[in-house]
Structure formats: C-alpha cells, structure tokens
Amino acid sequence: MPMESIVTPAPWSSALSRGLTWGKRALAAASLAALTACAGGGADFYPTKGDVKPHPGVARAKQHPIQGIDVSKWQGPIDWTSVKGAGTQFAYIKATEGGDHIDDRFRENWDGAGRAGVPRGAYHFVFWCRSAKDQMDWFKRNVPNDPTALPPVLDVEWNGHSQTCPKKLPKAQALAMTEYMLREMEAYTGKRPIIYTDITFHKDVLEGELPDYPHWVRSTAAEPEQRYANRDWMLWQFTSTGRVPGVRGDVDRNAFYGTQAEWASFLATDCDPRHHRRLSAAGLCTDK
C-alpha cells in the first residue's frame, strides 16, 4: 500500500509571556503539558514508535489509542516479538495480488505475527486487468481461513504504476468487481471485509457507495475528513515513513478511530460500532 505523514507545539500568548519570568514560564509550560496529557488532548500512546518524515497535518493520529501497522515483503525480516512489545494492536499483512502473485513473506509474517500474539489479518491487492473470480480463487487458495484472524481487507487503488495494467476502469465496472470480491471474501472467511482505498480511487469509484462496509483510508498529509467526502473511516493509514521497534526502516502506521471498548466491539462483531444497530438489524454483523 502506498502513503504520506506528524507534530506541532502551541505558542504562549503574549499576555502570559509578559507576566512570567523565564523560570516561571518553564514551570508553567511543564504544568500545561501535564494537564494536556491528563486530558488526552496531546497524548502519544506509543512514544517508542516514530516517523522519519512527520507531517503536521496528521499529528492527531498518534492520539488514537488503537494503533497498528501493515507490512509486505518490502519490510524484510520482522521481529514480531518486538513489534508486539511496542504496543502494536494489529497488523495487516499483504497476502495476494491479482490472480497469480503471493507476497514473498506472507507466510513468514503470518506465522510470526501469530506466534507473537499480534492480531493479524490478510489483504489482497486488486489488479484491474484480471477477473474478480480469478482473484478471489487465488486469495482462497493462498490465505488460511483462520477464525482467529482479523477480517480480510480488499485493497482497491488504481494500478497507475503498472506497466501492464495502468488503465482506469469505468466506475460501474470497478464497483461491480469490488462488490463481487467483497462477497467472496465474506463467504470464505465468515467475516465482513474491510475496504482499503486511497483518495483518488475513492473519489472516482467509492464516494457515496458501499456504506455498509468498514473503510480504511489513506491520508498522509491531512485528516481523513478533509480528503474523503461523507465517509466514516474506521482505520486511518497516516504515514508510510513510520518507525516501529522490530521493523527495519519505514513501515506504514495506522490508527483505529475509537476507544479500546469500540475496538473490542468491532472485533466481536466485524461491524463499525457506530453503525452496529443498523447493520446488525440488516444481518450484516457477525455478532459472535
């Protein structure tokens, strides 16, 4: 999956500055920081994690208590015990692409995350020049149907950098393929899939569509609400230059929108807790 990035301090007001000596200013600053942290306004829940190119537009992402990563072969060997020790609460692992490609490190990462106790799920990267049926047949052949896994993810972006398939499909065709693959994923795993997407594909195809699926959006220079019209996001990929103990070099970092309790609700139902009542009434939640 592609991506972008975090930080900003608050200035003192001039009135406060005039009324304090330098020593008192330092004491007041420390007190203000402590109060802010207690209020949860600027808390960084995982200070051992970082970002080599932080972008101020996504600074608030670090304040979300549920955070995770997504990985592929490009991260190289991963020390999953260290990833777990850093507080990582979920990991999505690239499994398949198109109808004939499996990520070189999928099984290694899948098994390693499982042994370390990191909740993990698999994602399939859609290739728009291969039939939806071929792609789901390939996914089912290569991804374990593990009842303990997170819901699967369908990664829908245009293949703009592909030498063999750079074209965009008409909206109706792309949407029909997406819907077919979501149905097949759900039938195979018993879990309602998550849609991962970027700004361009969402605007071209998904805007106003598929409201009954959880969405995972990529926004690395601004908060998702500024980039995705009328979309309740559940997961937010906020940087591709993250640093997490156990992973060498850059890694994608992601945040869940809500609280620990809301995360537990999602894990128990495969539905966005904000829409649970409506979706459950329609039979669209697992409600384990």
Side-chain angles (χ1 to χ4, degrees):
M1 300 184 189
M3 322 213 173
E4 298 160 38
S5 325
I6 270 178
V7 275
T8 50
W12 292 93
S13 70
S14 57
L16 182 58
S17 297
R18 287 193 299 269
L20 295 173
T21 65
W22 284 109
K24 289 179 180 178
R25 288 180 197 173
L27 180 60
S31 299
L32 182 60
L35 287 171
T36 302
C38 289
D44 184 346
F45 283 89
Y46 303 100
T48 62
K49 300 182 180 183
D51 191 340
V52 294
K53 294 181 180 178
H55 192 291
V58 298
R60 287 208 301 174
K62 66 182 180 181
Q63 297 172 25
H64 292 282
I66 307 298
Q67 303 222 355
I69 60 175
D70 63 87
V71 301
S72 69
K73 67 178 182 180
W74 300 111
Q75 273 65 53
I78 294 174
D79 177 354
W80 285 101
T81 300
S82 295
V83 170
K84 170 74 171 179
T88 304
Q89 302 209 34
F90 65 90
Y92 269 102
I93 299 168
K94 183 173 183 179
T96 49
E97 180 174 335
D100 57 5
H101 177 74
I102 183 166
D103 187 84
D104 293 344
R105 292 191 180 273
F106 170 60
R107 288 312 300 243
E108 174 186 327
N109 284 328
W110 186 260
D111 295 340
R115 284 192 299 270
V118 179
R120 82 282 200 247
Y123 76 85
H124 173 80
F125 184 86
V126 173
F127 188 68
W128 298 103
C129 293
R130 194 73 183 252
S131 78
K133 182 179 186 306
D134 284 352
Q135 297 192 59
M136 286 300 96
D137 288 347
W138 182 248
F139 179 83
K140 295 173 195 176
R141 197 177 310 154
N142 290 285
V143 176
N145 185 3
D146 182 349
T148 70
L150 297 172
V153 167
L154 189 68
D155 181 346
V156 285
E157 313 164 53
W158 296 125
N159 310 141
H161 298 292
S162 171
Q163 294 184 350
T164 57
C165 187
K167 66 181 181 180
K168 294 183 179 181
L169 299 182
K171 174 178 177 175
Q173 185 180 352
L175 192 58
M177 288 179 66
T178 298
E179 291 175 321
Y180 175 89
M181 288 185 277
L182 291 169
R183 290 194 301 270
E184 290 297 304
M185 275 187 162
E186 186 165 4
Y188 175 61
T189 64
K191 299 171 185 285
R192 196 149 186 81
I194 298 169
I195 299 170
Y196 169 92
T197 194
D198 63 6
I199 295 166
T200 301
F201 190 90
H202 185 268
K203 184 176 181 181
D204 290 348
V205 177
L206 294 178
E207 195 168 295
E209 306 288 351
L210 304 177
D212 295 338
Y213 287 92
H215 279 69
W216 175 7
V217 298
R218 175 180 185 262
S219 184
T220 57
E223 296 189 19
E225 292 79 5
Q226 299 175 38
R227 296 289 186 262
Y228 293 84
N230 302 314
R231 176 65 68 192
D232 282 339
W233 59 272
M234 194 181 70
L235 297 177
W236 171 15
Q237 186 183 73
F238 61 89
T239 182
S240 60
T241 55
R243 291 297 167 91
V244 173
V247 182
R248 301 177 194 168
D250 295 347
V251 66
D252 301 336
R253 291 184 59 189
N254 304 273
F256 174 72
Y257 81 89
T259 64
Q260 291 275 3
E262 287 167 319
W263 177 248
S265 173
F266 166 67
L267 294 180
T269 65
D270 303 325
C271 272
D272 186 326
R274 295 166 295 186
H275 309 303
H276 178 265
R277 181 177 296 178
R278 173 176 62 83
L279 297 177
S280 185
L284 298 177
C285 294
T286 304
D287 288 329
K288 295 185 272 290

